[in-house]
Amino acid sequence: MDLSELLAVWCADSGKEFSGSSIKKAEIAIADVMGCVLGGRNEPAVIGAGKITPDDGSGKSSAVTHKQPVAAPWAALINGCAAHALDFDDNFFPPVTHASASLVPALLALGEDIDAKPAEIVYAYIAGLEVEAQLGKLVNPSHYESGWHSTSTIGTIGTAAACAVLMKLGEQGILHAISISSSLAAGSKRQFGSMVKPMHAGFAAMHGVIAAKLASAGVTGVANTLQGKWSFEELYAGGGNLGEFSPATFPDAPLAIDEYGLVAKLYPSCMSSHLGIDAMLALSADHEFKTDEIKSINIHMPEFMVANLRYQKPASPSEARFSMNYCAALALVRGIPRMSHFTEKALTDGEVMRLLPLVHMHVREILPETESLPWGGDCLARITLVDGKVIEHRAVYPKGCPQNPLTEDQQRQKFTECARNNTSGMDAEALFEKFSNFSRVGKLDNLLRCLRA
């Protein structure tokens, strides 16, 4: 069987059971991204998506821009955009997607629409992650390195499969949801730093819902759109791809959520900046120096990270999230980057802005001991002081990855910071407990009222 059929058969196997540890990892990820949704509800791109969403009361799904329920695809679009608007949501390897930012909003919107149980949503979420992982193995690294934003390409297909699982469409329905979604997969990394970038997660969420609904309505496509002539693999990865997918290792390998895990963020900025931030925080903690004693800051990272962080002088909060210059300076001056550091006002911080031209990025050669790391390598940071002293730190495991996870207190603090202004009247701590134990939530609609404007 080709990959499309393999994935459809696996997803449709209702006899699968996921372990308690896999379910708990999924619940932690759901809680994390729901905090991001609530934190990003007032971002300009989200407000814009809300303005074009019909407000006729005909839907059943909650959206952060509307008081009344809207149709599921629109709720998925809006909430998916909100989930990614702060760039605070998790990363998932090997597809290199912000998986939860599309999967969770889509499944919750669809779940409200069809009255699904929370445990069924968790199950579908894990299945969607698996589809994204296997597709990532097929087309990466060529796909991501050539400029595709995997969140809106691979993410669309994984989300469609997850939605089809939630709708219990069976093998053929899931197969055609995958086929339909492959015609909706698009999005360039050229949009990084713009309002369109978070829309990519919203597009993936919306298109995932639409593809599954079309499949349920009897719309069919070519059975195999992932491999072969003019396939997703050929068009989106090129003939020279060195992907790791092998039918011999699927589905017998460990679940992707267990094998790779998710990288939850402690900082609301592009993941490519995080090893650099980790290094700056470590240097500040380990050495005594003042920022006016810094002569230069040199950060050596993998090539794709350098390429992603292209704004040396950010002119907006969105650009600041994709600026190693800003993130490094911020970490040295203010400590752990917070949501409040990515505002128009924060970009006028004189002490931070003074350091920006002192930050220089360099492409670091991938070392043999780091080439297998899912994020592509390590980071070596050096600070040279005016007296000639050089201090350095090597960061290997970004904060939030499985080898360096967030503590429960950090998870809770992040969620409550994002959710403190939710409009449901429910305490942010109580919301965190609900989403962290999502499989055991009773009524989905009662909980998701926290999303309504």
Side-chain angles (χ1 to χ4, degrees), residues 268-269 273 277 280 297 299 309 311-335 337-357 359 361:
S269 62
S273 69
I277 293 171
M280 294 299 104
I297 303 164
I299 302 176
L309 303 170
Y311 297 100
Q312 296 180 23
K313 298 179 181 179
S316 68
S318 294
E319 290 185 1
R321 293 187 174 95
F322 292 86
S323 170
M324 190 71 259
N325 299 63
Y326 181 78
C327 290
L330 175 64
L332 290 171
V333 175
R334 302 299 172 204
R338 303 292 187 189
M339 290 166 56
S340 60
H341 294 138
F342 294 88
T343 63
E344 295 289 350
K345 182 179 179 180
L347 292 180
T348 65
D349 187 326
E351 191 175 358
V352 172
M353 304 311 286
R354 184 186 66 81
L355 292 181
L356 259 61
V359 180
M361 289 188 296

Side-chain angles (χ1 to χ4, degrees), residues 118-413:
E120 294 172 331
I121 291 172
V122 173
Y123 184 95
Y125 170 84
I126 295 173
L129 283 182
E130 194 67 33
V131 171
E132 292 194 24
Q134 301 307 325
L135 189 51
K137 290 180 184 180
L138 178 71
V139 300
N140 279 329
S142 301
H143 180 69
Y144 187 81
E145 290 177 352
S146 66
W148 291 104
H149 187 200
S150 304
T151 296
S152 56
T153 54
I154 296 172
T156 294
I157 299 171
T159 302
C163 289
V165 169
L166 187 63
M167 296 180 76
K168 299 180 173 61
L169 297 188
E171 182 181 328
Q172 287 301 304
I174 295 169
L175 181 67
H176 290 297
I178 290 172
S179 179
I180 294 164
S181 65
S182 70
S183 288
L184 296 168
S188 165
K189 291 198 291 179
R190 182 72 179 174
Q191 296 287 6
F192 283 15
S194 77
M195 283 195 287
V196 176
K197 201 263 188 175
M199 294 300 302
H200 284 174
F203 293 155
M206 176 179 68
H207 289 152
V209 172
I210 290 172
K213 281 183 168 286
L214 286 171
S216 73
V219 175
T220 62
V222 173
N224 180 19
T225 56
L226 301 183
Q227 294 174 292
K229 184 66 175 176
W230 300 336
S231 66
F232 186 83
E233 179 183 24
E234 182 176 278
L235 295 177
Y236 288 69
N241 183 59
L242 299 175
E244 298 178 354
F245 174 77
S246 169
T249 62
F250 177 77
D252 297 325
L255 275 176
I257 195 171
D258 297 321
E259 184 176 3
Y260 303 103
L262 295 116
V263 182
K265 290 185 176 182
L266 188 59
Y267 324 125
S269 62
C270 175
M271 179 71 199
S272 294
S273 69
H274 284 212
L275 284 174
I277 293 171
D278 287 341
M280 294 299 104
L281 294 174
L283 288 170
S284 294
D286 295 342
H287 302 275
E288 291 281 347
F289 63 91
K290 297 179 181 178
T291 56
D292 59 7
E293 297 174 332
I294 296 175
K295 181 180 180 180
S296 65
I297 303 164
N298 289 279
I299 302 176
H300 303 255
M301 302 184 295
E303 185 175 8
F304 83 91
M305 293 184 182
V306 174
N308 285 345
L309 303 170
R310 65 178 185 268
Y311 297 100
Q312 296 180 23
K313 298 179 181 179
S316 68
S318 294
E319 290 185 1
R321 293 187 174 95
F322 292 86
S323 170
M324 190 71 259
N325 299 63
Y326 181 78
C327 290
L330 175 64
L332 290 171
V333 175
R334 302 299 172 204
I336 293 176
R338 303 292 187 189
M339 290 166 56
S340 60
H341 294 138
F342 294 88
T343 63
E344 295 289 350
K345 182 179 179 180
L347 292 180
T348 65
D349 187 326
E351 191 175 358
V352 172
M353 304 311 286
R354 184 186 66 81
L355 292 181
L356 259 61
L358 304 184
V359 180
H360 307 280
M361 289 188 296
H362 309 272
V363 173
R364 178 165 169 79
E365 181 182 354
I366 304 300
L367 304 175
E369 65 266 28
T370 63
E371 65 182 354
S372 64
L373 293 175
W375 42 90
D378 63 352
C379 168
L380 180 65
R382 292 192 180 99
I383 294 179
T384 302
L385 304 178
V386 293
D387 64 3
K389 182 180 179 181
V390 178
I391 56 178
E392 67 177 44
H393 181 85
R394 180 178 179 236
V396 180
Y397 299 107
K399 186 63 181 174
C401 74
Q403 297 90 339
N404 187 17
L406 302 189
T407 66
E408 185 175 346
D409 285 344
Q410 288 171 327
Q411 295 166 3
R412 187 184 304 274
Q413 181 180 359

Side-chain angles (χ1 to χ4, degrees), residues 12-29:
D13 179 9
S14 59
K16 293 190 308 299
E17 290 187 3
F18 300 139
S19 69
S21 63
S22 299
I23 291 170
K24 177 46 65 177
K25 289 171 186 173
E27 290 176 326
I28 290 171

